[in-house]
Amino acid sequence: KRAQRVDGPRLKANGYGGGTGNAISVGQLVTIELDTPVKIQTKEPIRLLADSVEVAKLTYPEQVTLDRSATEMSFIIPRWTSTTREATIILDSAGIAPVQGEQFSKPAIQITIAEARGAGSLKGTVKTEQASYIVQLVDNQYKVRNQVRNAKTYNFRNIEPGTYYIRVILDANNNGKWDGGDPELIKEPEQVYIHDKPLEIRANWEMEENIAF
């Protein structure tokens, strides 16, 4: 039987820091890393609690995505009405199952929501003949802050002020992530484009930028 590590799910360090410390901003892309490949067999695999009260249910595959390796689940932190900054991510214990082997522990994940400090937003239209693509908002370190798939419009909200770029991945195999070339050099890496100008996001300001590729 295939051996499994059972350290449990954990937040992947992919650009957190919308506030101080490890705080996460509303509207930020979050990835949960698992030790073994899983399959999602429920419509609502993730719940968010604040003060032990359920504030959001995230649906699969609309809001929750599973990467090609089946070991990373990603979603956008939604906005809710509670002012509590401490929140808990709950993974469905039965609905998220290992591809092989026995069920494993899925302890709750504690997070802190960053204080709003005057965020901006960015929206626009997408003009393309491509059928499968990912439009990403990346910061000046090229860390992904938000993204949409196969959409003709985008609306990224709650963005910390700073310099950002729009990056487009031509997702040829429609798996929701960038794939590099294989070691045998038979398959080329998926194409990536960076929009031709930096975008300066300001607090309490809505910016519009249309893209075409």
Side-chain angles (χ1 to χ4, degrees):
K1 185 169 67 174
R2 184 175 182 268
Q4 289 177 299
R5 292 170 54 193
V6 290
D7 295 342
R10 58 199 171 274
L11 289 180
K12 183 177 180 181
N14 61 342
Y16 301 137
T20 58
N22 291 321
I24 300 172
S25 299
V26 170
Q28 187 170 336
L29 180 68
V30 169
T31 298
I32 295 176
E33 196 172 30
L34 303 161
D35 290 318
T36 189
V38 299
K39 53 188 175 182
I40 298 178
Q41 46 195 18
T42 182
K43 185 64 177 175
E44 297 172 337
I46 294 177
R47 296 183 299 133
L48 295 178
L49 307 182
D51 277 342
S52 301
V53 177
E54 184 177 279
V55 293
K57 290 182 178 179
L58 304 181
T59 60
Y60 173 80
E62 295 84 3
Q63 295 171 294
V64 179
T65 61
L66 185 64
D67 81 331
R68 191 178 184 184
S69 70
T71 60
E72 294 184 0
M73 296 187 299
S74 298
F75 59 94
I76 301 296
I77 293 291
R79 179 179 296 280
W80 59 81
T81 56
S82 172
T83 58
T84 302
R85 292 184 59 213
E86 303 302 320
T88 306
I89 300 173
I90 304 292
L91 305 183
D92 190 298
S93 58
I96 302 172
V99 173
Q100 296 181 3
E102 301 176 354
Q103 274 285 12
F104 56 92
S105 174
K106 305 180 188 69
I109 300 173
Q110 304 297 324
I111 60 173
T112 299
I113 302 300
E115 292 183 85
R117 297 185 299 170
S121 63
L122 174 67
K123 67 178 182 179
T125 60
V126 179
K127 184 177 181 180
T128 183
E129 298 298 324
Q130 300 291 330
S132 182
Y133 54 88
I134 306 168
V135 177
Q136 297 179 325
L137 177 70
V138 299
D139 62 19
N140 57 9
Q141 301 297 315
Y142 293 97
K143 294 177 180 177
V144 178
R145 311 303 301 207
N146 211 328
Q147 67 180 29
V148 295
R149 293 178 60 193
N150 306 331
K152 294 300 183 182
T153 63
Y154 67 90
N155 190 359
F156 300 142
R157 307 185 65 83
N158 301 298
I159 307 170
E160 288 290 313
T163 303
Y164 295 84
Y165 299 87
I166 292 292
R167 181 169 66 189
V168 176
I169 297 172
L170 300 188
D171 188 17
N173 59 6
N174 198 28
N175 69 346
K177 59 177 286 188
W178 178 77
D179 290 302
D182 63 71
E184 304 297 327
L185 301 180
I186 298 174
K187 181 181 176 182
E188 295 184 353
E190 291 179 326
Q191 292 179 290
V192 178
Y193 298 98
I194 298 290
H195 190 50
D196 60 3
K197 69 177 183 179
L199 304 170
E200 297 296 332
I201 302 299
R202 293 184 284 171
N204 306 313
W205 188 267
E206 183 177 73
M207 186 175 184
E208 184 168 348
E209 186 71 21
N210 301 324
I211 60 174
F213 54 91

